[in-house]
Amino acid sequence: MAKDKQPRKPRAETPKGFRDYFGADVIERRDMLAKISEVYERYGFDPLETSAVETVEALGKFLPDVDRPNAGVFGWQEEEGDWLALRYDLTAPLARVAAQFRNDLPTPYRRYAFGPVWRNEKPGPGRFRQFYQCDADTVGAPSVAADAEICAMLADALEAVGIERGDYIVRVNNRKVLNGVMEVAGVLDPADPTKFEEERGIVLRAIDKLDRLGPDGVRALLGEGRKDESGDFTKGAGLGADQADAVMGFMEAKGHTGAATVARLRDVVGVSALGLEGVEELETIADLLSAQGYGPDRIEIDPSVVRGLGYYTGPVFEAELTFEILDEKGRKRQFGSVAGGGRYDDLVKRFTGQAVPATGVSIGVDRLLAALRAKGRLGDAAAGPVVVTVMDRDRMADYMAMVGDLRRAGIRAEMYLGNPKNFGNQLKYADKRGSPIAVIQGGDEAAKGVVVLKDLILGAKIAENATLEEWKDRPAQVEIPLADLVSEVQKMLAQ
Amino acid sequence: MAKDKQPRKPRAETPKGFRDYFGADVIERRDMLAKISEVYERYGFDPLETSAVETVEALGKFLPDVDRPNAGVFGWQEEEGDWLALRYDLTAPLARVAAQFRNDLPTPYRRYAFGPVWRNEKPGPGRFRQFYQCDADTVGAPSVAADAEICAMLADALEAVGIERGDYIVRVNNRKVLNGVMEVAGVLDPADPTKFEEERGIVLRAIDKLDRLGPDGVRALLGEGRKDESGDFTKGAGLGADQADAVMGFMEAKGHTGAATVARLRDVVGVSALGLEGVEELETIADLLSAQGYGPDRIEIDPSVVRGLGYYTGPVFEAELTFEILDEKGRKRQFGSVAGGGRYDDLVKRFTGQAVPATGVSIGVDRLLAALRAKGRLGDAAAGPVVVTVMDRDRMADYMAMVGDLRRAGIRAEMYLGNPKNFGNQLKYADKRGSPIAVIQGGDEAAKGVVVLKDLILGAKIAENATLEEWKDRPAQVEIPLADLVSEVQKMLAQ
């Protein structure tokens, strides 16, 4: 570049699909995660913080094609070396750690983790390429006691962050029960699990549409198929009436108590050994939870939980918030799911060849924060500092001493550090900071040994264009002895 | 890849130069950063969390060459788009944010940030390519009151994390004073700051060697040059006697009080306007700090602080820990620097063309953690959970109920979730977890309504090969009524 040519200025922009978090957003998330961590640690889970960068080989799912990996991850190649990439979730790094440190870690290994993950996807409104996940998993525990523990922990975590009992429900289902039902319905052959894959897909999708289509619609999809209002035809799974009955019975098996649900499910799975195993696991989970006092008001067996059934191998669970919010169109709707998880048994097999049973849960950090916001549980975090204004720039040491006194008393406080010439700017600054109180001391006040405290929460509306003279006439301000600064500020903040 | 060919298993390895943090390491860092955050927030600083990814254009320092950027950052090119990279520090993202959001942010903008940064460098022992930084900066405050505030905040932060008063000192110097000295010494021409660059470099390096070479050695380097013991000759700056006196006077200007130091510096900089400005700034900083009660036992004016003087434009500061530790060879030495910073005025100029004054500090997170470890201030974080063992796998619900009671009382506790067949494995597990207490209840105990508490801290040494029989004979275990489980565990933990 020629030296006399002025290079164009760089753009000050966040990369597309990324964002910055300011002030209260950072604090609210941090405080929520701290409360969740406390619960997880009480349950014996240890934190794990893996590096953001993994080898593409260890991440597995995404392999470099001819040029570079681009299917979903941010990746690059080392100089003459490995392809590296940013992690896209917290489970893949856990699998790598569980394999790499298998001789050093306790078995079972209970670990929790939270932190950003990255997805190389097309960004959209509200969809970012970096976001937080918060996971807890138990690796190496074949017993469903591990699943029960995670359900209890999830309920405790939700209450710890401020979701009241009655405002959430943790629902538990079991993949094995569904497979038993598929067996009874004739679309799963234990001797050849690859058969009937298409039919099982149709059944799964039909179950998932119960809410929208109702029992008749689902039954049509289980049979020959269904024509919707527009006249379009969706092909069905082709089940006979008895077979469809089994699936419908599965979906409607939920009773008033866990015991009733389990009894019905036992009927539904009939002679399927796998199905019975699944029902017994659900029964054990319900027993273990009830022994700790977790009743169906908090955690219930619910065969309608289908989400993730395709991925998991045993118990699955989902936490739903049951209170209503207004959607963007002003209609009432349930808040919905904020966490989900289940048992998956192939965590480290890719690395070691050895199957290691694992179960875990992932909390949707942004969803849960939105729920807390909807319930009015957030907001204190945004409290701005008390601002000590600078009326006389030769007396900065005095103002700094006031700030020092306030801070030593644990009060968030600062002196105005901009150009003090325009007093209105100082008040605008305090306003922008969400400051609750401005402290003012001009020459007259200093001579009398007093300061003026201005209650900015009361005065917020008029602060915009106030001059000092207008300001002094407002009732929201008091003159107090300098010696009482800390106690009077404390009093005003407590109001 | 042919379907019948078994692919080789992926390696379960952290990428070179990266590491994972387990349990106590995560907790200790988190707790330390929480204490620092609390201080920063009390000072009115707001947290900012920028994305890990920036455009290479915004990062600035590192530009893509023909192929890809590789000078120090991890970078990659978007499909038909920008070059992106992981941030290499927290200052470059602050500059981008300060420019991008300049109309929305308050002025001055006080922000703190901590989080990982990434460097694409050759990893070495103890040198990682991802590590934590913890920064606080005030953007848009020309007054040195902002610098004084950061020095006070740094002292408070060190005390908050557990460094006692007397074990640290914050040293303050000013780049302008040094420039004044350079002017007096004839190696800085205010009319043409590019002249004498070589000489100034020699002077700076000479000052930095005072500890090692002593005053005579430094004086030789300021003059014609210096021959070391081996006979090698280092060329000097060529200053005359009076000029060298000025530099020596600068280095030795530290007096017993800030006022004495300032008076000597005033002599040294003589007629240099810039130098006098620097001295007055130091005087103001000392006055502002003393008005808040920060005396030279915590923060002192020290002309020997040279680190970073080349980079900064005004006040510079450095926090040093003054207690002694043993180095790897068993020799006593001072712990040394854990934080540093200063004033730099070109933060957002690259983006907007407008100079914005800023000052800030960066704490070396790993260094400070190492210091706390050396002082024995860490360690509690590693406390393992109480482990309820499984003697009888049909009674898991009973064991889970015990765990539930302990957890509800706020005690970290878990039931053993591995295969319960080998009881020795359960005790080995508890040992590996750093568990303080094992709870044991076999059939006999259950019939009597009692449980056995085993104090594992006492019994740690013998746990390795213990069978249940040996175990029961140790004095470190007590039989207690089941109803007293929580209170007895609390009692044992309090010991």
Side-chain angles (χ1 to χ4, degrees), chain A residues 8-16 18-23 26-27 29-30 37 41-55 57-58 68 70 74-79 82 84 86 96-97 99-101 103-110 112 118 120 129-130 132 138 140-143 145-146 148-149 287-288 291-292 294 349-353 385 396-398 400-401 403-404 407-408 410-419 429 432-433, chain B residues 8-16 18-23 26-27 29-30 37 41-55 57-58 68 70 74-79 82 84 86 96-97 99-101 103-110 112 118 120 129-130 132 138 140-143 145-146 148-149 287-288 291-292 294 349-353 385 396-398 400-401 403-404 407-408 410-419 429 432-433:
Chain A
R8 115 184 136 74
K9 290 193 189 81
R11 286 165 299 163
E13 279 173 20
T14 336
K16 280 183 203 70
F18 291 87
R19 57 165 295 194
D20 304 304
Y21 293 85
F22 294 88
V26 178
I27 293 176
R29 184 175 55 207
R30 177 191 73 194
S37 300
E41 284 170 27
R42 206 189 313 137
Y43 271 77
F45 285 67
D46 276 343
L48 169 68
E49 192 173 314
T50 59
S51 58
V53 178
E54 295 278 346
T55 64
E57 175 179 345
R68 59 167 57 210
N70 51 16
F74 292 105
W76 63 88
Q77 190 170 20
E78 293 254 76
E79 300 277 321
D82 292 337
L84 303 182
L86 293 177
R96 192 260 304 154
V97 164
Q100 182 173 354
F101 300 99
N103 297 322
D104 306 311
L105 291 172
T107 302
Y109 175 48
R110 287 172 172 92
Y112 76 87
W118 293 266
N120 192 358
R129 305 206 284 174
Q130 171 177 332
Y132 263 72
T138 302
S143 160
E149 176 173 87
D287 287 350
L288 289 171
Q292 293 175 81
Y294 294 86
K349 202 175 179 181
R350 311 179 36 237
F351 295 107
T352 64
M396 299 239 278
D398 294 344
M400 273 295 237
V403 170
R407 287 172 178 163
R408 261 188 299 279
I411 298 165
R412 199 171 186 219
E414 49 175 66
M415 182 178 82
Y416 180 70
L417 283 178
N419 186 338
Y429 170 82
K432 206 163 198 173
R433 296 286 281 128
Chain B
R8 116 184 133 75
K9 290 194 187 82
R11 286 165 299 163
E13 278 172 19
T14 335
K16 280 184 203 69
F18 291 88
R19 57 164 297 193
D20 304 304
Y21 293 86
F22 294 87
V26 178
I27 293 176
R29 184 176 55 208
R30 177 191 74 194
S37 301
E41 283 169 29
R42 207 188 314 138
Y43 272 76
F45 285 67
D46 275 344
L48 168 68
E49 192 174 314
T50 59
S51 58
V53 178
E54 296 278 347
T55 64
E57 177 180 344
R68 60 166 57 209
N70 53 16
F74 292 105
W76 62 91
Q77 190 170 19
E78 294 254 75
E79 300 278 321
D82 292 336
L84 303 181
L86 293 176
R96 193 259 305 152
V97 164
Q100 183 173 356
F101 300 98
N103 297 324
D104 306 311
L105 292 172
T107 302
Y109 176 48
R110 287 172 173 92
Y112 77 86
W118 293 266
N120 191 358
R129 305 206 285 173
Q130 171 178 334
Y132 263 72
T138 302
S143 160
E149 176 174 87
D287 286 351
L288 290 171
Q292 294 176 79
Y294 294 86
K349 203 176 179 182
R350 317 182 26 241
F351 295 106
T352 64
M396 299 240 277
D398 295 345
M400 274 294 237
V403 170
R407 286 172 179 163
R408 260 188 300 279
I411 297 164
R412 197 169 188 220
E414 49 175 64
M415 182 178 83
Y416 181 70
L417 283 177
N419 186 336
Y429 171 82
K432 206 161 197 174
R433 297 285 281 126

Side-chain angles (χ1 to χ4, degrees), chain B residues 211-292:
Chain B
D211 268 3
R212 200 154 54 79
L213 304 183
D216 289 345
V218 173
R219 188 171 263 274
L221 284 175
L222 294 174
E224 290 311 310
R226 178 180 174 271
K227 196 180 272 185
D228 67 17
E229 285 110 50
S230 74
D232 281 348
F233 184 77
T234 308
K235 193 190 157 207
L239 304 190
D242 285 358
Q243 298 173 321
D245 277 350
V247 177
M248 296 305 293
F250 169 71
M251 283 187 289
E252 291 158 359
K254 197 177 143 197
H256 285 293
T257 65
T261 307
V262 164
R264 287 190 197 175
L265 285 176
R266 205 181 291 274
D267 278 350
V268 170
V269 295
V271 294
S272 160
L274 187 67
L276 278 174
E277 192 181 313
V279 172
E280 266 150 34
E281 286 181 2
L282 284 178
E283 197 169 18
T284 304
I285 289 173
D287 286 351
L288 290 171
L289 288 170
S290 129
Q292 294 176 79

